[in-house]
Each structure stands twice: as structure tokens, then as C-alpha cells.
Amino acid sequence: SSGINAEYGRYALELYTQVLAIRANAVKAAANGATRRMLDLFNYWTDLDKLHKFVHIRKSILNSIKHLVGNESGRKSLMKCDGISILYATAKQSDEMKQEIQRNCSSHTSSDFKLRVTVNTQDIFKKTDTTNPNGKAIDNL
């Protein structure tokens, strides 16, 4: 049920992003406080989605924010609600998590992940003669 609701939310956000792609709509939305609401929504989803199952929703929110701040009034509203700090803190958290994943993965040696397969190349390229239903010989690899 939550997956279905998340999909509806995703579609709504994508539609909202398309509406904001029109400059006049983005200016009106920024003037009405949409930048702050989108930042709050982004923070909510970032805190909620620790397993990164709904990255597409966060991406849609960021795309909406991108359209909102694509004009002067949107940039002013971003500065007014301290949006740069919010986005920076989120990016920093993501970078720290990425570094921790890399540290955890680097503890394994590369030989742990190698798949070893021995194949006789003569068997691969050995030609066999077969006949098709018409009685003619076919050369297969």
C-alpha cells in the first residue's frame, strides 16, 4: 500500500515539476512560498528514506526546486529560507554515507569478488558438421 502511495506521490511531483518548468508558474509558486515547502518535503523524504528505495521521489523534489530557483525571486526565497544550508547538509550526509560504504567495501580483497572460470578455447571454436533437413551440410561454430 505504501508503495502504491509513493508511486502516486511520485507522479504528482513529476507533474508539479512539469508545471514549474514554465517560468511564469515557477515565479508565482516561489512568491507563494513553494520553495520553503519543497525544501521541507525534501528533508522529510531524506530522513524517511534511509534505505534509498525512493530516490526517484527525492530527485523529483530537487527538480522542482531547480525550477523554482531558476529566477531571481526563487533565488531570493531560497536564500531567505536558508535553503543553501539545507541542501549542503543533505549533500554532506550523502557524501559521508558514500565514503562509509566505500570503506566497508574496501575491506574485502578484489580476489574475494573474482569469478574464476576455466574454458578450453579449442572447445569453444571447434567446428562440427551437421546436416539440415534438406540434406545439405551446415558448418556450425
Side-chain angles (χ1 to χ4, degrees), residues 33-46 61-62 64-65 68-69 74 77-88 90:
T35 306
R36 177 75 224 178
R37 288 193 299 274
M38 292 307 286
L39 285 167
D40 291 341
L41 188 62
F42 181 71
N43 273 339
Y44 171 78
W45 274 101
T46 301
I61 295 169
L62 286 173
S64 294
I65 293 170
L68 285 167
V69 300
S77 67
L78 183 71
M79 296 302 214
K80 184 178 176 183
C81 64
D82 202 27
I84 298 294
S85 300
I86 293 169
L87 294 173
Y88 177 77
T90 305

Side-chain angles (χ1 to χ4, degrees), residues 1-9 45 54 57:
S1 175
S2 67
I4 292 172
N5 291 336
E7 285 300 311
Y8 287 138
W45 274 101
F54 300 105
I57 289 177

Side-chain angles (χ1 to χ4, degrees), residues 3-140:
I4 292 172
N5 291 336
E7 285 300 311
Y8 287 138
R10 174 184 171 201
Y11 294 136
L13 282 168
E14 288 175 358
L15 179 62
Y16 187 63
T17 301
Q18 293 299 317
V19 169
L20 291 176
I22 300 169
R23 183 178 167 83
N25 293 338
V27 170
K28 287 178 189 175
N32 290 326
T35 306
R36 177 75 224 178
R37 288 193 299 274
M38 292 307 286
L39 285 167
D40 291 341
L41 188 62
F42 181 71
N43 273 339
Y44 171 78
W45 274 101
T46 301
D47 292 340
L48 182 71
D49 188 25
K50 296 296 182 192
L51 298 177
H52 306 292
K53 291 183 178 181
F54 300 105
V55 173
H56 54 277
I57 289 177
R58 289 188 283 164
K59 181 181 179 207
S60 292
I61 295 169
L62 286 173
N63 281 330
S64 294
I65 293 170
K66 177 184 76 171
H67 289 301
L68 285 167
V69 300
N71 57 67
E72 187 176 343
S73 63
R75 286 188 288 277
K76 285 181 182 179
S77 67
L78 183 71
M79 296 302 214
K80 184 178 176 183
C81 64
D82 202 27
I84 298 294
S85 300
I86 293 169
L87 294 173
Y88 177 77
T90 305
K92 189 170 172 104
Q93 286 174 350
S94 296
D95 188 48
E96 289 169 357
M97 184 177 52
K98 178 182 167 187
Q99 289 174 359
E100 183 169 334
I101 290 170
Q102 287 174 343
R103 279 193 300 273
N104 290 339
C105 288
S106 67
S107 65
H108 299 287
T109 62
S110 61
S111 63
D112 292 339
F113 298 106
K114 286 184 181 174
L115 176 63
R116 298 181 183 177
V117 178
T118 305
V119 178
N120 186 347
T121 55
Q122 290 176 346
D123 289 337
I124 292 174
F125 295 108
K126 184 170 80 173
K127 292 187 176 186
T128 58
D129 287 331
T130 59
T131 57
N132 68 11
N134 296 335
K136 295 184 178 178
I138 301 174
D139 219 8
N140 290 334

